[in-house]
Amino acid sequence: MRGMVMAALLTALPATALADDYKPVVCERAVAYAGPPLRAPVAPPLLTEVPRSALDPETVARLDAAFDKAKSATKAPAMTAAVLVPGRGAWARTESGDQPPMLFWASAGKTLTAVVVLQLVEAGKLRLDDPIGRYVAGVPNGDVVTLRDLLAHTGGLFSANEDLKAHAEHRAHTLDEDLRIIARHGAMACPGERWRYSNTGYDLLGRVIETVDGQPWRLAIEARILKPLGLTHSRVLAEGDKAEDVARLVSTREAPIEPAWAGAAGPMVGSADDMARVWAALLGGKLLTRDTVRAMFERLYPMFDAGSWYGLGVMAVEVPRPDGAKSLWLGHLGGTPGAQAIVAYSVEDGAIVAAALTGDGSAAATANLLLQQVRPPAGKP
């Protein structure tokens, strides 16, 4: 799936960046964007109805068959998937074998961290243009890198998980340790100049949440999102969490991380049904105002390869359809050796799909296959 392969690999893959690979920059102010052209803004839908009843039996049968096909093709030891079609119904399924039924959502969980930050902005407790240095000391160019930059990955910050020595240690790092790493590397660009993915940026946002909301960022996500929505098959990982209720990450490529190591850059574990309902609530205006949700998709930066863009804690991705056309998905992908995940609203299908799996298979391809099943069969209107 062109445009999605690199986007799925976001949480913990090492890069080859070293301190002497670039000349660190010191910036007195933000600069004009100098990267590839931005995408035109996307107007997200307003979902006024979230189905609770099941989809019709024929569609359920097709989805079940597609789930089985995807699980076999990906060789996933554990998989969870869900589809919500407003006006029609819902479907969800989890198969985890001898593993626990909770799955790791990796970077797809970044949206929840972003939502809490934006809720605090709406409450007047933060401003998107606040510099991160107001809340956390020791950030390169911290006086000019803003919370908006961190949400959009335009702060120019190195991502501490890409430090080869830190990556080789294969352990959790505290935010203070990550701050020392990014300070040693220095900034890679002035804020606003380039788009570059930084997990450390979202860990910094977690610290901002704690400072302003007066509770750990994990509890803030639970109190502000999971509990109000009545989601009981998901939770937020705490620092040092052994995640014994989470399906084990398995990879033939590289030793997997422990899910809790991802911090605020990948905080969620749970069912696809719960993750789909988080997005239904977001697009339905139940977590943020409509103006804020629109702003999340207003300035979309080109990501790793053609067909994928990043907003404020969200992605827009063009996905090829069997008929040769492209479908626009609004959501977020996540991935790390041993786990892949995606949650998205398909504009053309008018449906939300969520899928997470263990192993090295593609959650995005799985989601695409599932969405094909909610379209009218050939020959039917």
Side-chain angles (χ1 to χ4, degrees):
M1 299 174 64
R2 186 177 64 84
M4 300 183 75
V5 176
M6 287 299 295
L9 305 176
L10 300 178
T11 298
L13 292 182
T16 57
L18 295 169
D20 55 0
D21 285 340
Y22 62 92
K23 183 178 180 180
V25 295
V26 177
C27 310
E28 295 182 356
R29 62 184 64 85
V31 301
Y33 176 68
L38 303 178
R39 191 194 191 284
V42 174
L46 174 60
L47 301 186
T48 58
E49 184 266 345
V50 179
R52 288 287 179 182
S53 58
L55 285 160
D56 62 274
E58 289 185 4
T59 303
V60 168
R62 292 197 301 270
L63 286 166
D64 281 335
F67 182 97
D68 292 335
K69 180 179 180 180
K71 193 169 185 300
S72 175
T74 59
K75 298 180 173 60
M79 179 182 288
T80 183
V83 175
L84 302 181
V85 188
R88 288 180 55 188
W91 167 90
R93 184 171 161 191
T94 298
E95 296 288 344
S96 58
D98 61 354
Q99 292 295 305
M102 303 271 275
L103 275 80
F104 180 40
W105 288 88
S107 282
K110 279 185 171 66
T111 301
L112 284 82
T113 301
V115 165
V116 172
V117 171
L118 293 169
Q119 287 177 340
L120 293 170
V121 171
E122 289 186 346
K125 297 182 178 181
L126 291 173
R127 294 185 309 120
L128 284 178
D129 293 327
D130 285 345
I132 183 60
R134 180 174 299 176
Y135 305 97
V136 185
V139 179
N141 298 326
D143 290 340
V144 289
V145 174
T146 67
L147 304 187
R148 188 191 307 274
D149 289 320
L150 299 183
L151 286 169
H153 300 292
T154 57
L157 298 182
F158 185 80
S159 191
N161 62 290
E162 295 181 353
D163 180 88
L164 297 184
K165 181 179 178 181
H167 183 80
E169 291 174 352
H170 199 67
R171 65 172 178 85
H173 288 83
T174 66
L175 180 58
D176 288 342
E177 288 177 310
D178 284 350
L179 281 169
R180 288 193 289 271
I181 290 171
I182 67 172
R184 185 172 69 248
H185 283 265
M188 304 184 78
C190 287
E193 182 180 9
R194 300 282 179 183
W195 184 89
R196 189 180 191 281
Y197 202 84
S198 176
N199 285 307
T200 302
Y202 270 71
D203 283 329
L204 290 169
L205 291 172
R207 178 66 62 84
V208 173
I209 291 170
E210 294 183 346
T211 301
V212 174
D213 207 36
Q215 60 181 330
W217 60 262
R218 174 183 67 86
L219 296 181
I221 291 175
E222 290 180 348
R224 290 175 167 272
I225 301 176
L226 301 189
K227 290 180 180 178
L229 297 180
L231 303 180
T232 58
H233 296 93
S234 296
R235 68 183 185 87
V236 185
L237 294 168
E239 182 178 346
D241 195 320
K242 296 186 181 299
E244 294 176 346
D245 58 344
V246 180
R248 184 176 64 253
L249 277 58
V250 180
S251 176
T252 60
R253 301 171 183 171
E254 184 180 350
I257 65 168
E258 295 294 331
W261 297 358
M268 291 299 302
V269 295
S271 71
D273 185 55
D274 275 11
M275 187 60 87
R277 294 187 184 281
V278 168
W279 266 83
L282 176 62
L283 296 177
K286 295 180 179 177
L287 297 176
L288 296 167
T289 67
R290 291 293 300 149
D291 286 345
T292 298
V293 176
R294 280 193 290 267
M296 296 174 81
F297 292 95
E298 187 172 5
R299 191 168 176 85
L300 294 168
Y301 295 90
M303 293 179 62
F304 302 102
D305 46 27
S308 57
W309 298 269
Y310 206 94
L312 297 180
V314 294
M315 297 178 184
V317 182
E318 288 182 348
V319 184
R321 292 168 64 106
D323 59 6
K326 293 180 180 178
S327 181
L328 181 64
W329 290 6
L330 309 179
H332 208 298
L333 293 99
T336 183
Q340 304 294 326
I342 183 171
V343 56
Y345 174 83
S346 170
V347 174
E348 285 73 15
D349 296 304
I352 294 175
V353 63
L357 55 86
T358 58
D360 297 319
S362 172
T366 297
N368 202 12
L369 179 62
L370 292 170
L371 281 175
Q372 292 174 31
Q373 314 313 313
V374 304
R375 299 167 192 158
K380 291 188 178 183

